[in-house]
Each structure stands twice: as structure tokens, then as C-alpha cells.
Amino acid sequence: MAARKRIRLTDAGIARLRPGTREFTVWDSRVPGLGVRVRPNGGRSYVVIRTVEGRTRRFSLGPVASMGVDEARHECLVRNTGAADTAPKEAARAIPLFSDFVASEWHSAHMDRFKPSTRKGRRSALTTQLLPAFGATRLDRITRAGIERWFERYSLTAPGGANSALDLLRQILNFGIACGHLETNATRGVTKNRRTPMTRFLSREEIRRLQDALDGASRCGPSQRQQADMIRLLMLTGCRKGEIVNLRWTEVEGDALALADSKTGPRKVHLNPQACAVLDRQPRGKGPWVFPSPRWPDRPCSNNIYLWSAIRQEAGIGDVRLHDLRHNFASHAVMRGVPVPVVSRLLGHSSAKMTLRYVHLDDRNVREAAERIGEAMARLMAGESD
């Protein structure tokens, strides 16, 4: 085993340590058992080796930014002489509370990088879930058992929201590791709720009934006519709800939408003639929105398309979510021979892998494909040319 590297640790010398491709530790020549661990991402933290019940164990004292080397030496001596079996107040302050860490280090490093819509969702998850559950707990005191209890409670009412909040918690704790506050991530091993896959899409008859229900709603006044047209655009374009709700006239460019800000960034949506007709019949007001709020024309309409609940019941498709219209668009495109990479472009996905989650084929299409492949293979096996 290679000898441990020992130097006289100084605050200036620690600041000059440069990360390598692998984690390494530099040990102090003055106080045995004290070292500075340097991670590949640049994180530096004090560590101390102690013998507990005959076993040698390594403990973290916290990031180097939280204490000077003299304070770290004192803490190391206290621990190794058994003067305190629990972390003293100085060490306790070195590892921040979850709420303090989120408000300072994590917020400054991550929050401004999120898109505005994503930032809103992160703030909601923090305010309503993570901070009430873990805000008053030190990062190193957050346990897997505690996370599982919180996750199970939240999953009873919002399994999808629980998954998203768990992802955010995992990312925050990973950053806590990078900052030297933690050794491991307590979310490791916590299993997310399984997503209920969409196993069907709208049949031709269901689409016809949905169209009839939308036509009926359109005759019930401007507000319902506006929402019916929004639903039609979702069916005809495969756009996300937010892309239609927040659509501006400046983003309508002839037979295409030049969306300035979608989930995956700016993107272009090519419109079919039917979608163009829906846009052409929208009244042009003074505000910038294609679908303005009926009460406040200078604002977009409500993100909640409340008409959908009544429409899907009337059309006999009560189990279909509004977002499933996007799945439906993708599935029908593939069934009509549109290649998956092209469908991926139509939906604005960052990869074709994501598109495959949206695509569902019924048994008839799979059976027909199997027959075509079988016929082609039979001709090849018989020595015939294609």
C-alpha cells in the first residue's frame, strides 16, 4: 500500500490543492488522523480518522470553507481523545440545516439555471413538501427512513408529484456531497412510484365523438369556444398544454409556430391546414396572447382548461387525460408510417428515446407488421429478390 502523503496543512496550502481525476486525501503532519479530502469536482472537506470499538473509521468534519485549519486540528484532537463522543457545537454548525443549505449554497448554484416554468415548480416542491419535512434537519441527519416515510405519505395523494419532489431532494443532497457536507445520499434506494403507462390511444370513433363534443361546446359562448379551440390545437399539433395556453401572436409565423420558450428550449412547430384554420379564426385583441383571459385581456387564459373534464365525459373517454392527446398524436403519426425521429422533431423531444415512451400501437398494427415482415423473410429464404 502506498504511503499516505503528509504535509503541514495551512489554509493557504489547502486553497492551492488542485482536484485530480480521482478523489484523494492529503494528511496533516502535525495532528495524526486529520486530512483534507479533495474531490474531482473541486469540493474540499476535512476528514478525521478515529478508532471506534476497535475499528478504524473516517468521519467528515465539514467543508474547508466552514473552518480554518487550526479549528480543524482542535476538533480532531477533541474527537480522538474522546473528550466528546458527539459533535461539539462548532462541528454541528459546520454542517448546515437543510433549509439554510437550500437558501444559500444550492440556491445560488442551481436556481437561476432553471427555466422560469421549472423554477416555479421547484419552488412549489420546496415550499409545500421538502422544507416542511426536512428544513429544520441538518443535512447529515436526514435519513433514508425519514425520506421513505415522507415519500409514502405524499404518494398517497400525488404519486407523480412525489416522484418529482424526490428527484429534487436527490439532486440537493448530491450537491451537499459535492460541497463536502455529506458522505452518502440518503435517497439512495428509495424507489419512485411506477408511472401508469398509457396502453391505448383514441380510436377513430372516439376522435369523432370528441370532435362532436367540442363542436357542441363551441356553440355555448366565447369562453367555451376558446377552450374548445385550444383542445383542438393540442390534438392537431401534439403541443404541450403550456405551449398553447401561453402562445403569443408574435410566435405565429404563417404555417408554423416559432415558440420562444418550450420545455426543451426554442422550437419550431409546423402546422397542418386544420391547425392553421383554428388559429385564423381567433380574434385579434390588443394584448399579445392568442388565447387571452376573458377577464384580463393583457394576461393569458387560465392554465387550467376546465372544459376538458366535461368534454371527455360527454365523449365517453373519461379515462383520457389532456396530456394523452400528445401521446395520441405521436401514436397515430407512427401508425401512418412517420419515422420515430421525425415524430420526435414534431413533439419537440430532445431524443427519440423519449418519443418511444409516447408511441403505442394497437394489436392490428403489430399483426400487420408481423405479416409484412414474415412475407419479406419468406421471399428471401426462397431466394427471391425484393
Side-chain angles (χ1 to χ4, degrees):
M1 181 181 295
R4 292 175 176 172
K5 182 179 180 181
R6 294 182 180 275
I7 64 173
R8 182 178 180 275
L9 292 177
T10 63
D11 293 331
I14 292 172
R16 289 194 296 268
L17 292 175
R18 293 292 177 263
T21 57
R22 301 180 64 180
E23 178 184 300
F24 66 91
T25 302
V26 178
W27 301 96
D28 189 24
S29 60
R30 293 188 60 185
V31 175
L34 175 66
V36 173
R37 179 177 53 199
V38 182
R39 298 180 183 275
N41 60 13
R44 299 174 178 84
S45 59
Y46 291 109
V47 293
V48 59
I49 290 180
R50 287 183 62 195
T51 300
V52 180
E53 297 179 351
R55 297 180 59 186
T56 300
R57 299 183 60 185
R58 178 184 294 198
F59 298 88
S60 174
L61 298 182
V64 298
S66 65
M67 67 179 76
V69 67
D70 290 336
E71 186 179 357
R73 287 192 179 104
H74 173 74
E75 172 62 14
C76 181
L77 290 171
V78 169
R79 291 197 177 213
N80 284 339
T81 57
D85 292 329
T86 58
K89 294 181 179 180
E90 290 80 3
R93 285 197 299 267
I95 300 178
L97 300 179
F98 180 83
S99 59
D100 294 337
F101 178 70
V102 167
S104 56
E105 295 174 79
W106 180 83
H107 187 281
S108 60
H110 292 88
M111 188 60 84
D112 289 341
R113 298 181 182 180
F114 295 136
K115 294 168 60 65
S117 57
T118 304
R119 196 179 305 140
K120 181 179 179 181
R122 296 291 189 271
R123 287 199 181 104
S124 176
L126 285 168
T127 303
T128 63
Q129 290 296 325
L130 298 182
L131 290 176
F134 307 107
T137 307
R138 258 176 39 190
L139 284 179
D140 60 334
R141 300 288 177 82
I142 297 175
T143 65
R144 175 176 169 180
I147 292 173
E148 287 178 335
R149 287 193 297 270
W150 158 78
F151 185 71
E152 289 172 3
R153 288 195 303 269
Y154 190 18
S155 297
L156 293 176
T157 56
N163 284 348
S164 297
L166 180 63
D167 285 337
L168 178 58
L169 177 59
R170 179 175 288 116
Q171 190 258 348
I172 291 172
L173 295 184
N174 277 335
F175 188 63
I177 294 175
C179 292
H181 299 309
L182 297 171
E183 298 287 339
T184 60
N185 192 322
T187 64
R188 183 177 299 172
V190 180
T191 304
K192 294 201 296 185
N193 298 304
R194 295 187 61 181
R195 297 168 61 115
T196 302
M198 180 186 176
T199 57
R200 76 168 184 86
F201 46 86
L202 297 178
S203 66
R204 180 177 300 181
E205 174 60 22
E206 287 171 329
I207 292 175
R208 186 192 64 77
R209 295 202 305 266
L210 177 56
Q211 177 64 22
D212 289 344
L214 292 172
D215 287 343
S218 297
R219 294 189 288 269
C220 296
S223 178
Q224 291 203 25
R225 181 164 57 248
Q226 181 191 72
Q227 294 207 23
D229 278 346
M230 293 167 68
I231 295 171
R232 288 190 179 95
L233 277 180
L234 293 175
M235 294 176 62
L236 292 168
T237 64
C239 282
R240 302 176 181 91
K241 181 178 68 171
E243 294 170 344
I244 297 301
V245 169
N246 299 303
L247 185 63
R248 297 171 179 263
W249 283 115
T250 55
E251 296 175 314
V252 180
E253 299 181 351
D255 59 353
L257 302 179
L259 300 179
D261 186 27
S262 70
K263 186 175 180 180
T264 54
R267 75 180 185 99
K268 190 172 187 177
V269 179
H270 295 276
L271 301 174
N272 48 55
Q274 294 79 10
C276 289
V278 174
L279 288 172
D280 288 343
R281 63 173 174 254
Q282 302 309 311
R284 293 291 294 261
K286 295 181 179 180
W289 311 102
V290 176
F291 299 105
S293 166
R295 296 182 62 185
W296 299 284
D298 59 335
R299 303 180 188 177
C301 62
S302 171
N303 194 52
N304 180 23
I305 304 180
Y306 65 85
L307 181 64
W308 176 247
S309 180
I311 286 292
R312 65 180 181 177
Q313 295 300 329
E314 183 177 345
I317 53 172
D319 60 333
V320 177
R321 305 164 302 170
L322 194 62
H323 189 71
D324 290 335
L325 298 180
R326 185 164 158 85
H327 293 250
N328 185 68
F329 179 89
S331 294
H332 279 278
V334 172
M335 284 191 297
R336 281 154 180 76
V338 180
V340 170
V342 176
V343 178
S344 182
R345 287 285 302 277
L346 289 171
L347 296 178
H349 282 157
S350 57
S351 69
K353 181 179 179 180
M354 174 66 72
T355 307
L356 291 174
R357 290 174 48 196
Y358 278 64
V359 173
H360 309 276
L361 303 176
D362 61 15
D363 291 339
R364 183 191 55 164
N365 291 95
V366 176
R367 184 173 58 251
E368 291 176 352
E371 291 174 356
R372 290 196 301 271
I373 295 171
E375 292 172 357
M377 291 300 297
R379 288 195 300 270
L380 291 173
M381 294 166 68
E384 301 176 10
S385 59
D386 286 342

